[in-house]
């Protein structure tokens, strides 16, 4: 177990501080905000880092941070598969002509990295995945029987953010985006957007993340938006219908739309009170037209599909930043980089702890051992305070095949047969539950 968990003051999870009786610490409001700054916690808990030789806004992921990220990505992929999405991969580069067709070059080029010359072509790091997915859709003829066609990808995209706005994982230049596009009929668009909002709600519940508000982002004054009032009216009306029928309170805000259409933004607030967009749902009439997308209807004629853009957790970077700040490093068990720590009371129980770790690995659970060489049992419990399940194995437990468990919130469980305990933990983790234990 790394030193990441041995931080009482720096990494006290919200709602789980054992209080003065345990550590003599009662955080002030200012300290609470500082403790839940994901940049500080990212360093203290060894989740991610940066290096000037890599560059500003280009963080790297350490093993524990990579474990959180991987768990989050797998949750989303699983949810998407269950909802009928098919996963694709697409290149992070594209010819300038691609982004001229999509409208990104004329409306968004100031936020893109400069073109690179390659074989006589100008090639760009993509600022978005939607043009690539539009090309995948049009790679062959489509029938109305295929619609809605739901296409999803965790893909890299790049934004030439100014140095002054970069900060930890919240604002980066290399983004791993949870993106999806649903190609559907006009009649299907509202239902698909509504289903996307429901997916977002379920994901927030699983992550233990709170939405601050929902925003209907509309165009504002200026020329950064596609000039087609009819398309804007249709897509805005559909998004209002989705929000109203879902019973979601929202605010309409001008100037926050994408250049090609309005969007529903799910807003979150970080530890310092700053608001940002984590998830989005958009209805787009613009790009299907620009790319000449078609499907053959039941009448035998060609029709234009609608493109619903949808991101459940937005960028992985921003989602993990929000998780760190929301939980202070005490992640839900399914997300925790280390889910269980085995604590043999003495060296004699070392082999039993190793056997326990092998059982965990066989079940896909992330576990480590902290033996007596790392200090007294009390010291090891304190060092592992962010680990959801602290499994104590003494002489009696080893002899009887039992484990005594201390939950991260201070509750004690057991002694229980090790297999029963692991089966119950595995069930909670596989169901993406935020509770640590159910009687």
């Amino acid at each position: 177990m790394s030193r990441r968990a041995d931080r009482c003051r720096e990494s006290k999870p919200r709602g789980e501080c054992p209080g003065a009786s345990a550590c003599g610490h009662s955080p002030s409001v200012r300290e609470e905000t500082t403790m839940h700054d994901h940049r500080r916690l990212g360093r203290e808990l060894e989740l991610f880092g940066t290096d000037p030789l890599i560059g500003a806004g280009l963080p790297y992921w350490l093993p524990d941070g990579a474990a959180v990220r991987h768990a989050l990505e797998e949750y989303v992929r699983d949810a998407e598969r269950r909802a009928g999405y098919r996963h694709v991969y697409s290149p992070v580069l594209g010819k300038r002509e691609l982004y001229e067709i999509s409208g990104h070059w004329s409306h968004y080029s100031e936020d893109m990295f400069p073109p690179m010359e390659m074989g006589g072509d100008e090639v760009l790091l993509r600022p978005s995945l939607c043009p690539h997915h539009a090309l995948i859709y049009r790679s062959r003829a489509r029938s109305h029987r295929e619609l809605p066609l739901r296409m999803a990808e965790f893909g890299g995209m790049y934004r030439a953010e100014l140095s002054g706005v970069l900060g930890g994982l919240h604002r980066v230049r290399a983004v791993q985006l949870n993106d999806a596009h649903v190609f559907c009929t006009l009649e299907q668009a509202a239902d698909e957007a509504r289903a996307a909002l429901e997916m977002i709600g379920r994901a927030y519940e699983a992550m233990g993340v709170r939405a601050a508000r929902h925003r209907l982002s509309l165009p504002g004054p200026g020329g950064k938006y596609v000039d087609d009032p009819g398309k804007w009216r249709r897509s805005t009306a559909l998004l209002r219908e989705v929000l109203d029928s879902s019973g979601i309170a929202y605010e309409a805000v001008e100037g926050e739309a994408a250049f090609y259409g309005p969007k529903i933004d799910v807003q979150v607030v970080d530890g310092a009170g700053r608001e940002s967009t984590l998830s989005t749902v958009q209805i787009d009439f613009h790009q299907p037209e620009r790319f000449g997308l078609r499907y053959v209807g039941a009448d035998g004629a060609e029709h234009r599909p609608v493109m619903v853009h949808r991101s459940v957790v937005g960028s992985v970077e921003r989602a993990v930043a929000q998780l760190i700040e929301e939980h202070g490093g005490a992640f839900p068990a399914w997300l925790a980089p280390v889910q269980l720590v085995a604590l043999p009371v003495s060296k004699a129980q070392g082999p039993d702890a190793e056997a326990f770790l092998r059982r965990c690995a066989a079940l896909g659970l992330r576990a480590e051992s902290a033996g007596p060489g790392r200090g007294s049992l009390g010291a090891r419990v304190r060092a592992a305070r962010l680990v959801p399940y602290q499994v104590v194995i003494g002489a009696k437990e080893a002899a009887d095949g039992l484990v005594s468990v201390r939950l991260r919130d201070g509750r004690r469980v057991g002694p229980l047969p090790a297999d029963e305990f692991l089966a119950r933990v595995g069930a909670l983790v596989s169901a993406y539950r935020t509770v640590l234990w159910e009687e």
Side-chain angles (χ1 to χ4, degrees):
M1 189 167 52
S2 72
R3 62 182 178 177
R4 68 186 176 278
D6 195 11
R7 298 286 193 278
C8 175
R9 290 182 178 274
E10 289 84 354
S11 57
K12 201 163 304 299
R14 282 180 180 154
E16 291 189 10
C17 176
S21 61
C23 65
H25 181 239
S26 179
S28 66
V29 172
R30 181 175 180 180
E31 286 175 318
E32 179 76 5
T33 299
T34 303
M35 287 187 298
H36 293 284
D37 184 327
H38 82 277
R39 294 166 296 183
R40 180 177 182 182
L41 284 173
R43 293 190 300 271
E44 295 290 344
L45 304 181
E46 299 177 10
L47 300 174
F48 65 91
T50 58
D51 192 291
L53 287 178
I54 297 176
L58 300 169
Y60 56 78
W61 295 82
L62 294 164
D64 281 352
V68 175
R69 169 177 167 168
H70 180 79
L72 180 62
E73 291 178 356
E74 283 304 298
Y75 165 82
V76 174
R77 287 192 183 97
D78 181 57
E80 288 171 338
R81 284 190 291 267
R82 293 171 185 271
Y85 286 80
R86 302 291 299 277
H87 290 95
V88 299
Y89 289 107
S90 57
V92 298
L93 296 170
K95 292 169 66 173
R96 173 173 164 171
E97 181 183 359
L98 171 62
Y99 306 110
E100 289 175 340
I101 294 171
S102 70
H104 285 84
W105 186 251
S106 59
H107 292 90
Y108 200 76
S109 58
E110 68 275 10
D111 294 306
M112 297 169 65
F113 284 99
M116 298 173 281
E117 292 291 333
M118 188 178 295
D121 293 320
E122 284 191 326
V123 178
L124 292 150
L125 287 167
R126 66 179 174 193
S128 176
L129 280 67
C130 41
H132 295 250
H133 288 188
L135 294 184
I136 293 173
Y137 175 88
R138 80 172 196 185
S139 62
R140 65 170 176 80
R142 304 287 179 178
S143 163
H144 67 96
R145 296 183 181 88
E146 297 178 71
L147 306 186
L149 191 157
R150 306 180 184 100
M151 188 184 303
E153 180 177 3
F154 268 96
M157 68 178 195
Y158 300 84
R159 304 260 169 108
E161 301 281 10
L162 298 175
S163 298
V165 302
L166 299 174
L169 297 177
H170 268 304
R171 202 75 174 262
V172 295
R173 288 173 171 155
V175 177
Q176 192 72 13
L177 188 68
N178 160 229
D179 206 7
H181 299 92
V182 181
F183 301 89
C184 61
T185 68
L186 177 61
E187 295 73 23
Q188 294 167 335
D191 286 341
E192 290 298 317
R194 191 177 300 109
L197 272 182
E198 291 170 357
M199 281 186 72
I200 291 168
R202 290 192 295 271
Y204 280 36
E205 181 179 358
M207 294 189 296
V209 166
R210 296 161 288 186
R213 66 181 177 121
H214 288 72
R215 184 178 73 192
L216 177 59
S217 296
L218 303 173
K224 74 171 186 174
Y225 302 103
V226 169
D227 185 15
D228 193 325
K231 287 186 176 67
W232 284 95
R233 283 194 297 271
R234 281 194 295 166
S235 52
T236 300
L238 282 169
L239 290 179
R240 286 189 184 276
E241 175 191 332
V242 168
L243 287 163
D244 291 339
S245 64
S246 300
I248 295 174
Y250 64 94
E251 300 173 61
V253 179
E254 292 186 352
E256 297 293 342
F259 73 84
Y260 50 80
K263 54 196 175 94
I264 298 171
D265 289 325
V266 184
Q267 303 297 102
V268 293
V269 175
D270 67 14
R274 295 174 298 230
E275 184 178 292
S276 60
T277 301
L278 188 58
S279 311
T280 62
V281 179
Q282 307 167 44
I283 292 179
D284 178 9
F285 293 98
H286 169 72
Q287 291 192 69
E289 181 176 298
R290 297 281 291 189
F291 284 101
L293 304 186
R294 297 279 192 274
Y295 69 89
V296 177
D299 58 0
E302 288 191 334
H303 299 269
R304 182 92 63 208
V306 178
M307 195 170 175
V308 178
H309 304 238
R310 181 244 69 193
S311 183
V312 173
V313 297
S315 82
V316 173
E317 291 79 10
R318 183 171 289 179
V320 173
Q322 190 66 26
L323 283 165
I324 294 169
E325 300 205 354
E326 193 84 30
H327 299 292
F331 301 106
W334 67 271
L335 276 166
V338 177
Q339 296 166 321
L340 307 98
V341 58
L343 302 167
V345 173
S346 70
K347 289 183 180 180
Q349 289 85 51
D352 299 281
E354 292 303 317
F356 179 79
L357 295 190
R358 289 192 292 272
R359 290 181 182 178
C360 292
L363 293 171
L365 297 170
R366 298 181 291 276
E368 293 182 356
S369 179
R374 299 192 183 184
S376 68
L377 182 60
R380 286 179 280 149
V381 167
R382 289 191 295 275
R385 66 176 307 281
L386 295 182
V387 178
Y389 305 100
Q390 300 150 14
V391 181
V392 178
I393 304 174
K396 187 176 188 311
E397 287 85 0
D400 297 337
L402 303 174
V403 291
S404 293
V405 182
R406 182 186 186 278
L407 305 182
R408 182 175 56 199
D409 59 15
R411 286 180 291 161
R412 297 182 186 277
V413 174
L416 287 175
D419 288 341
E420 178 187 338
F421 166 69
L422 289 176
R424 293 175 69 172
V425 170
L428 289 169
V429 167
S430 62
Y432 305 110
R433 300 290 303 279
T434 55
V435 295
L436 288 175
W437 194 252
E438 287 184 332
E439 299 299 337

